């Protein structure tokens, strides 16, 4: 099937290390979003791509976070010099430009020790 | 900025009807969405309202009043599998990125 996939599903890292997550959206979807979710909260918007262009980033997003979507297909989210506060579920979603429904992947759970 | 308020918990019995309210304050508004999330699962889309009124999709309905900055999700004929977290979310911009509420944990009792 062709839902949104994310890799890895779980990542445990030590504070100060860099981590990279991958998201493969539904193939015909132009828009790709990254969100972060902590326990008991709703997902928090991080950044958004339309095709390969990163069009918006949350003002709350630290400079340690960077995302790419080369060729408008899969996307990567990198966190440099991880901190314990980065521990969360990182969710990717995709949608059509004209659509209002976002399809979420299963997420990558990051634990920073 | 954006803020959304919804009850943290709701409990109901199988077969009942439950309404989850959501009030919002946003600097821009393109629509109100509702998502369901089971424990350990991904959020899944339930409904979307861009205009005032009621949208019905099977057992679920969603309502929006733009003048009151208010919406609700109505779940009918509750089933045990409806036990989950329900999030309202607004699209404050044309890019449709979502700002989510903190979620309502619905527990359906037998």
């Amino acid at each position: 099937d062709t839902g949104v996939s994310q890799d890895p599903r779980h990542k445990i890292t030590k504070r100060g290390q860099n981590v990279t997550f991958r998201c493969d959206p539904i193939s015909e979807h132009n828009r790709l979003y990254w969100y972060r979710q902590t326990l008991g909260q709703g997902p928090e918007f991080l950044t958004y791509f339309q095709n390969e262009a990163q069009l918006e980033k949350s003002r709350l997003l630290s400079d340690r976070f960077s995302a790419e979507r080369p060729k408008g297909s899969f996307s990567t989210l990198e966190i440099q010099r991880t901190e314990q506060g980065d521990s969360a579920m990182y969710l990717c979603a995709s949608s059509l430009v004209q659509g209002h429904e976002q399809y979420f992947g299963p997420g990558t759970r990051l634990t920073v020790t | 900025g954006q803020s959304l308020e919804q009850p943290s918990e709701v409990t109901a019995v199988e077969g009942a009807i439950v309404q989850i309210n959501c009030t919002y304050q946003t600097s821009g508004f393109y629509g109100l969405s509702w998502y369901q999330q089971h424990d350990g699962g991904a959020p899944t889309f339930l409904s979307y309202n861009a205009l005032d009124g009621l949208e019905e999709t099977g057992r679920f309905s969603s309502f929006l009043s733009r003048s009151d900055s208010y919406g609700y999700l109505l779940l009918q004929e509750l089933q045990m599998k409806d036990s989950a977290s329900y999030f309202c979310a607004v699209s404050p911009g044309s890019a449709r990125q979502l700002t989510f509420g903190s979620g309502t944990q619905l527990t359906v009792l037998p």
Side-chain angles (χ1 to χ4, degrees), chain A residues 13-19 64 79-83 86 112:
Chain A
T13 191
K14 292 185 187 304
R15 185 163 52 93
Q17 298 295 304
N18 299 344
V19 294
R64 296 183 296 104
I79 309 174
Q80 296 183 325
R81 304 181 304 281
T82 53
E83 302 173 355
D86 297 331
V112 182

Side-chain angles (χ1 to χ4, degrees), chain A residues 31 33 35 37 41-43 45 48 56 99-102 105, chain B residues 35 37 42-43 45 48 87 94-98 100-102:
Chain A
R31 290 181 167 173
Y33 306 82
Y35 294 88
Q37 186 175 27
Q41 298 298 314
F45 169 74
Y48 146 71
E56 188 150 348
H100 47 256
E101 177 177 354
Q102 293 187 17
Chain B
Y35 283 77
Q37 187 176 31
F45 173 82
Y48 175 78
F87 295 92
S94 59
R96 308 286 176 90
Q97 74 273 21
L98 296 171
F100 284 83
S102 296

Side-chain angles (χ1 to χ4, degrees), chain A residues 43-54:
Chain A
E44 173 194 17
F45 169 74
L46 296 179
T47 190
Y48 146 71
F49 291 84
Q50 182 160 316
N51 299 314
E52 66 277 9
Q54 186 175 19

